[in-house]
Amino acid sequence: MDLGGYGMKLHYLASASVVVETGSTKVLCDPWLLDGAFHGAWNHYPPLEFSPEEYAHVDYVYLSRDHPGRFHRPTVERLSDDTRVIVHADAADRLSRDVRRLGLDLVELPDADRTRLTDDLDVELVSADTDAPADVPDAGGRRSTPASPWRADGAGSPAAATQLAVFDDGDHVLVNASACRWPSAEDACDHVAETYGDIDGVVTPYASADPHPQCRLDYAYDRKLAARDEAVRYMYAGAEAFVGALEPDYFFPVADQYALAGPLASIDKHVALRTRNEAFWHFAGSPSIEPANSLPVVINRQEHFDLTTGEPSANFTPIDPDSRREYVQTELANRSLAYQSDERPTLTEFRGLLPDAYENLEAERAEMEWESETTVLIDLVANTAVAVSMSGEGYELVDQDPEAVVTPPFLHLSMDPRLLRRVLSGSWSARFSDAWLGSHVRFAREPDLREPDLDRALDAYHA
């Protein structure tokens, strides 16, 4: 596709994948342009009608996170060998390591340090701490402390470093905040607002990549529906807070938009996700956003919005939710997940992996200087689970029924044993956080409170 032109343009591709273009410089952000992320779980709707090769010769790729919905290795592998990849200097080690493993030119930028990329464009990456506790504004702009799904279940991979990316061509300022969450990005937004003043556009998140509530073992059907709608409202309120803090002329709601495949298709209806046209109409009518100051904009795939003229390259075509549901049920449900072709593991195999996995978890806990009274119960095979202490008291094999073998507080995890073997084996391509974000892990908690440090420790639970 021709990306040529003048002024600053935002091109929308899919999910959180966009291209920032100004003058002769093009930056591809968070490329996920093929189906099958997270072991086959995440897929695009509508189906993509273009290939990554059409964007193989951009000047830079910016990666905000290390999860496959934003750094999708099969997509990045199909880009040009001389692609330069921008990451925050504090990004997860796995992200930098995997970029180098692909043989690409890694550009690590310090926090809050404006960098000249080309004669046409500066960029600044500003850290946003995903785990900072704070209250959130509701849809009316009031401060409150609701029982949010993020307090219970988190909004991303463990210990993930996220950031705002600020693109400045001297005439226009565009902020990509799609990987961040409110209120943890509040300080970063304050810095950007004070530094740049007038902001032309903000790419805002409005939906979640979280397994809550679709993966809850302890929620009945109606409770999942209610929790889904609560999560949608929470994310909407977060997007509105970004707009209020940065006061852009235009804001572009994008998200980790995905449809679940294979056996996970049955829980897709509970994912806390709305179409972008549904999000547009919500924001257009939101009492907390003054449309005379900040206009919501949605862009068709492979079309763009010109920040100079304030015009899109084409009128938006809405997505029909009924057609999406039919596609999930008739097409995606028939696909296989990556691990379903593996042989089924035995309890003996798991017994061989557990000692080293526990040793690595304990090493991570020691480095974190963290412990918890929570017991993590992970289903294995043959009606057997492993109960893992988060306070250094070891582990034991027990019955799978959590109510029979552990007392609160506990976290009960269940996934396909073939994927669990991949995770416990320590493959670079399989870790707990990816299985979690991919909606492969069913879970229950008692009490229903998330422990972010527990998530981080579990990511080290492999042999």
Side-chain angles (χ1 to χ4, degrees), residues 37 45 48 57 71 107 116 118 146 180 187 331-332 342 365 383 399 447:
Y45 184 82
L48 296 182
H57 298 287
F71 171 32
V107 181
R116 174 61 53 90
T118 67
C180 302
D187 289 344
E331 171 64 28
L332 295 184
D342 295 355
R365 277 203 326 104
N383 295 317
D399 185 84

Side-chain angles (χ1 to χ4, degrees), residues 226-239:
R228 178 198 66 187
D229 294 342
E230 177 194 9
V232 169
R233 289 191 296 270
Y234 185 85
M235 290 301 296
Y236 277 165

Side-chain angles (χ1 to χ4, degrees), residues 72-338:
H72 187 233
R73 284 180 57 101
T75 294
V76 176
E77 287 172 348
R78 293 169 68 167
L79 304 181
S80 174
D81 290 340
D82 59 1
T83 297
R84 289 167 288 182
V85 178
I86 301 168
V87 302
H88 192 282
D90 294 334
D93 291 340
R94 179 198 189 202
L95 176 59
S96 299
R97 181 180 66 247
D98 286 354
V99 170
R100 291 191 179 98
R101 182 179 285 140
L102 290 173
L104 302 176
D105 184 8
L106 182 67
V107 181
E108 295 181 292
L109 299 185
D111 185 54
D113 184 13
R114 190 186 307 203
T115 302
R116 174 61 53 90
L117 291 183
T118 67
D119 291 341
D120 301 313
L121 186 63
D122 290 354
V123 67
E124 180 177 351
L125 304 184
V126 184
S127 178
D129 179 5
T130 59
D131 290 327
D135 53 4
V136 298
D138 64 15
R142 297 178 296 273
R143 303 301 291 188
S144 60
T145 53
S148 89
W150 310 117
R151 295 180 191 280
D153 303 296
S157 57
T162 63
Q163 63 280 159
L164 303 173
V166 186
F167 299 95
D168 180 5
D169 69 355
D171 294 316
H172 304 91
V173 176
L174 176 69
V175 180
N176 187 346
S178 69
C180 302
R181 293 291 180 263
W182 191 271
S184 55
E186 187 170 8
D187 289 344
C189 287
D190 289 345
H191 167 81
V192 171
E194 293 171 4
T195 302
Y196 291 89
D198 293 337
I199 295 172
D200 297 271
V202 175
V203 180
T204 60
Y206 80 89
S208 99
D210 202 75
H212 175 88
Q214 67 270 20
C215 291
R216 298 299 299 240
L217 288 167
D218 48 354
Y219 281 16
Y221 182 88
D222 288 347
R223 189 178 181 189
K224 283 186 180 181
L225 292 178
R228 178 198 66 187
D229 294 342
E230 177 194 9
V232 169
R233 289 191 296 270
Y234 185 85
M235 290 301 296
Y236 277 165
E240 290 160 358
F242 275 105
V243 174
L246 296 172
E247 298 182 338
D249 295 334
Y250 308 98
F251 65 99
F252 309 90
V254 305
D256 292 300
Q257 297 170 9
Y258 59 93
L260 295 174
L264 305 181
S266 62
I267 62 174
D268 183 80
K269 58 182 172 291
H270 289 123
V271 174
L273 181 63
R274 296 289 188 266
T275 63
R276 287 187 298 132
N277 39 291
E278 289 174 304
F280 171 85
W281 287 113
H282 169 84
F283 295 128
S286 171
S288 66
I289 296 176
E290 177 55 59
N293 298 328
S294 298
L295 288 174
V297 177
V298 286
I299 312 168
N300 288 330
R301 282 182 180 165
Q302 294 194 287
E303 299 291 347
H304 68 263
F305 184 84
D306 191 323
L307 290 168
T308 303
T309 65
E311 296 291 336
S313 58
N315 291 328
F316 182 71
T317 302
I319 291 174
D320 177 19
D322 290 336
S323 296
R324 182 190 182 281
R325 282 191 289 270
E326 182 180 0
Y327 181 76
V328 170
Q329 295 166 5
T330 62
E331 171 64 28
L332 295 184
N334 294 321
R335 296 185 184 179
S336 296
L337 303 176

Side-chain angles (χ1 to χ4, degrees), residues 302-379:
Q302 294 194 287
E303 299 291 347
H304 68 263
F305 184 84
D306 191 323
L307 290 168
T308 303
T309 65
E311 296 291 336
S313 58
N315 291 328
F316 182 71
T317 302
I319 291 174
D320 177 19
D322 290 336
S323 296
R324 182 190 182 281
R325 282 191 289 270
E326 182 180 0
Y327 181 76
V328 170
Q329 295 166 5
T330 62
E331 171 64 28
L332 295 184
N334 294 321
R335 296 185 184 179
S336 296
L337 303 176
Y339 50 81
Q340 288 186 286
S341 60
D342 295 355
E343 292 185 6
R344 291 193 171 273
T346 64
L347 186 57
T348 299
E349 286 182 84
F350 281 126
R351 286 180 182 272
L353 294 170
L354 295 180
D356 286 342
Y358 183 74
E359 182 178 339
N360 286 332
L361 182 147
E362 283 298 288
E364 181 69 14
R365 277 203 326 104
E367 182 177 335
M368 295 165 58
E369 299 181 339
W370 168 85
E371 67 176 45
S372 170
E373 295 181 358
T374 298
T375 297
V376 178
L377 189 72
I378 305 174
D379 291 345

